[in-house]
């Protein structure tokens, strides 16, 4: 475990200068070490990102149902340019600038102050837990056609709880195990779609790809489907302290994962919409198994159903890793009580895992569309803070060490954030009143929770401490350009 120092004993120093330890450039010294557990290498990290963002084309069927083949295909080509690439690039730069657990919470705290850093952590954690509540439910949805008893009632509730416990235990056993499980599950999830693509070639009719009716588009469902399937690139930043040589590994893994995710969406949609006659009403969640049956037969359909079930397991363990290490990182920064920084003997954040698992169980009763809309709403607020932090750090501290730097200047940084910010505004504007009210209530809880925790700390009802191994981020506006100071 780390040596810890109380906030009262800390002195403000330049970011990167604490006990002579620094965030340094590639090829110099490693980032601050948080434990002796084995670090995650490139290949497992690629598949952890893959499952944080995607997990395969399961869930993209609604884009065809909402807008038709042409807009669905264009969406998964154009949307990554507007959203995924900027978010991945920002994650690469900021993640190597702050190679520690907590990720985006630390970025926002450094740029905008600890209050907004906490709000970022609250909204992103809650968004992640809401997202994770989907996966046990979706796993059972793919099995209920073969095991009808899992469709409703007490057996379904028991199955959700049992699955949550099993996958939570996997997270407890270690991030390295989770990473290699993600590699195996990823290969199993992608392979049947590669086979489907090959089998579909003789049946393809390119004219089917260009079907569009702009007067009959459900823009809310269409944009939410694209957004849900192509976001969360920043989630891997909360594991930066567990990555082997993050200055090199993180940007490389993000690049490979971006290619993998886009291809895993676009190619199955290309084969599915081109090989069979269009019936938009059928294009809903789970329809790819029917598409596979039409194209290749029952054996391919069963394979895809199994891949879908395994994919949900992969997304669950990857998301829980991100959520739980985020809480650990926040505790190491003194934003949460010290017990959140406790690790198991496997090096995993024990309290963070338990809290995240409890949130999943409590939220698993929500409907699929409600979960997507609510998490997108909260996620949008968090991304606005990330963009502001990225731009402010570029303006205020242009000379600070950035092992990976996006090859654009200050003006380019601002311009790069404009299209995704516009998209965020559109997604927020299309939210239903119910989703908006629930999400704003969640935001309001965070606004009250932070000063409440400060009061608890002041009264010494719970112990808070800041890790002595991490650079000080407490003072924001020093006139220094060579290092970040906070």
């Amino acid at each position: 475990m780390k040596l810890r120092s109380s906030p009262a004993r800390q002195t403000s120093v330049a970011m990167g200068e604490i006990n002579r330890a620094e965030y340094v450039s590639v090829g110099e010294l490693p980032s601050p070490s948080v434990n002796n557990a084995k670090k995650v290498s490139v290949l497992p990290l690629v598949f952890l990102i893959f499952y944080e963002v995607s997990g395969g084309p399961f869930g993209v069927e609604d884009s065809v149902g909402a807008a038709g083949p042409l807009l669905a295909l264009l969406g998964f080509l154009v949307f990554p340019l507007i959203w995924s690439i900027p978010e991945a690039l920002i994650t690469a730069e900021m993640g190597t600038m702050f190679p520690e657990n907590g990720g985006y919470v630390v970025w926002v705290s450094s740029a905008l102050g600890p209050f907004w850093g906490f709000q970022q952590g609250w909204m992103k954690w809650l968004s992640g837990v809401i997202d994770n509540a989907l996966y046990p439910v979706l796993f059972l949805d793919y099995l209920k056609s073969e095991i009808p008893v899992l469709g409703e009632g007490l057996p379904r509730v028991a199955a959700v709880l049992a699955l949550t416990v099993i996958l939570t235990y996997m997270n407890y056993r270690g991030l390295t195990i989770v990473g290699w499980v993600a590699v195996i599950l990823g290969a199993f999830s992608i392979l049947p779609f590669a086979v489907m693509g090959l089998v579909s070639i003789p049946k393809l009719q390119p004219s089917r790809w260009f079907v569009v009716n702009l007067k009959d588009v459900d823009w809310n469902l269409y944009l939410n489907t694209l957004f849900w399937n192509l976001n969360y690139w920043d989630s891997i930043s909360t594991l930066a302290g567990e990555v082997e040589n993050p200055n090199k590994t993180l940007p490389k893994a993000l690049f490979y994962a971006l290619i993998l995710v886009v291809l895993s969406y676009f190619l199955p949609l290309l084969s599915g919409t081109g090989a069979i006659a269009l019936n938009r009403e059928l294009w809903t969640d789970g329809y790819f198994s029917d598409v596979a049956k039409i194209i290749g037969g029952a054996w391919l359909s069963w394979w895809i159903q199994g891949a879908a079930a395994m994919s949900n397991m992969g997304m669950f363990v990857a998301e829980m890793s991100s959520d739980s290490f985020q809480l650990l990182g926040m505790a190491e920064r003194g934003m949460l009580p010290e017990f959140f920084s406790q690790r198991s003997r496997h090096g995993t954040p024990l309290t963070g895992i338990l809290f995240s698992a409890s949130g999943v169980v409590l939220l698993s009763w929500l409907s699929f569309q409600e979960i997507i809309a609510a998490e997108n709403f909260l996620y949008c607020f968090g991304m606005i803070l990330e963009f502001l932090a990225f731009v402010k750090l570029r303006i205020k501290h242009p000379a600070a060490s950035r092992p990976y730097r996006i090859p654009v200047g200050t003006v380019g940084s601002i311009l790069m954030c404009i299209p995704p910010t516009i998209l965020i505004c559109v997604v927020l504007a299309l939210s239903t009143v119910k989703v908006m009210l629930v999400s704003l209530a969640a935001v309001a809880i965070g606004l009250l929770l932070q000063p409440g925790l400060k009061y608890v700390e002041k009264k010494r009802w719970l112990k808070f401490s800041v890790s002595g191994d991490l650079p000080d981020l407490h003072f924001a506006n020093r006139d220094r350009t060579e290092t970040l100071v906070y």
Side-chain angles (χ1 to χ4, degrees), residues 127-136 315-317 319-320 323 360:
S127 172
V129 170
I130 292 172
D131 181 61
N132 227 11
L134 278 173
Y135 303 128
M315 287 187 282
F316 184 99
V317 295
E319 182 64 58
M320 179 165 284
D323 296 341
V360 168

Side-chain angles (χ1 to χ4, degrees), residues 5 59 136 205 253 293 307 312 364 463:
S5 58
Q205 296 184 24
K293 188 173 185 179
N312 286 308
S364 60
K463 185 178 180 181

Side-chain angles (χ1 to χ4, degrees), residues 66-299:
L70 180 62
L71 289 182
L73 291 167
L74 286 176
F76 283 100
L77 286 179
V78 175
F79 197 93
L81 300 175
I82 299 172
W83 181 265
S84 301
I85 291 177
E87 188 184 6
L89 287 172
I90 290 172
T91 300
E93 177 170 316
M94 303 300 288
T96 57
M97 194 175 181
F98 301 94
E100 63 179 84
N101 297 325
Y104 37 68
V105 177
V106 182
W107 315 344
V108 174
S109 295
S110 178
L112 306 178
F115 176 82
W116 290 110
F118 181 90
Q119 302 312 315
Q120 171 78 351
W122 165 249
M123 287 185 286
K124 284 301 192 77
W125 179 80
L126 188 57
S127 172
V129 170
I130 292 172
D131 181 61
N132 227 11
L134 278 173
Y135 303 128
V137 174
L138 289 177
F139 179 87
L140 296 178
D141 283 344
Y142 279 102
L143 295 182
K144 69 182 180 183
S145 59
E146 302 297 329
I147 312 175
V149 71
L150 297 178
E152 58 185 355
L154 187 59
R156 183 177 179 85
V157 173
V160 168
L161 291 174
L163 189 60
T164 301
V165 169
I166 292 170
L167 297 178
T168 299
Y169 177 73
M170 191 179 298
N171 276 92
Y172 164 77
R173 285 303 304 270
L175 187 59
T176 303
I177 293 175
V178 169
W180 284 108
V181 166
V183 173
I184 296 169
L185 293 177
F188 186 78
S189 300
I190 294 170
L191 191 55
F193 288 98
V195 173
M196 186 178 79
L198 292 174
V199 174
S200 71
I201 290 175
K203 303 178 182 181
L204 293 177
Q205 296 184 24
S207 61
R208 291 171 173 166
W209 296 329
F210 299 97
V211 176
V212 63
N213 182 1
L214 295 177
K215 295 180 180 179
D216 184 22
V217 177
D218 184 342
W219 292 106
N220 188 23
L221 177 59
Y222 175 67
L223 289 176
N224 267 312
T225 302
L226 291 174
F227 195 70
W228 181 63
N229 282 287
L230 285 165
N231 62 19
Y232 282 88
W233 295 95
D234 58 337
S235 293
I236 202 64
S237 68
T238 65
L239 309 173
E242 312 301 309
V243 174
E244 180 182 298
N245 192 7
N247 292 341
K248 291 182 178 179
T249 303
L250 187 59
K252 188 183 297 184
L254 282 162
F255 174 73
Y256 293 146
L258 182 63
I259 295 172
L260 182 62
V261 167
V262 173
L263 291 179
S264 74
Y265 287 147
F266 185 75
L267 294 181
L269 280 174
L270 202 65
S271 58
T273 56
I276 64 175
L278 177 65
N279 185 341
R280 281 176 54 178
E281 293 182 359
L282 298 178
W283 281 87
T284 57
D285 296 314
Y287 185 57
F288 264 127
S289 63
D290 295 327
V291 172
K293 188 173 185 179
I294 296 170
I295 292 175
W299 64 272

Side-chain angles (χ1 to χ4, degrees), residues 295-314:
I295 292 175
W299 64 272
L300 187 55
S301 176
W302 294 335
W303 191 1
I304 283 183
Q305 286 184 22
M310 295 301 103
S311 176
N312 286 308
M313 293 177 62

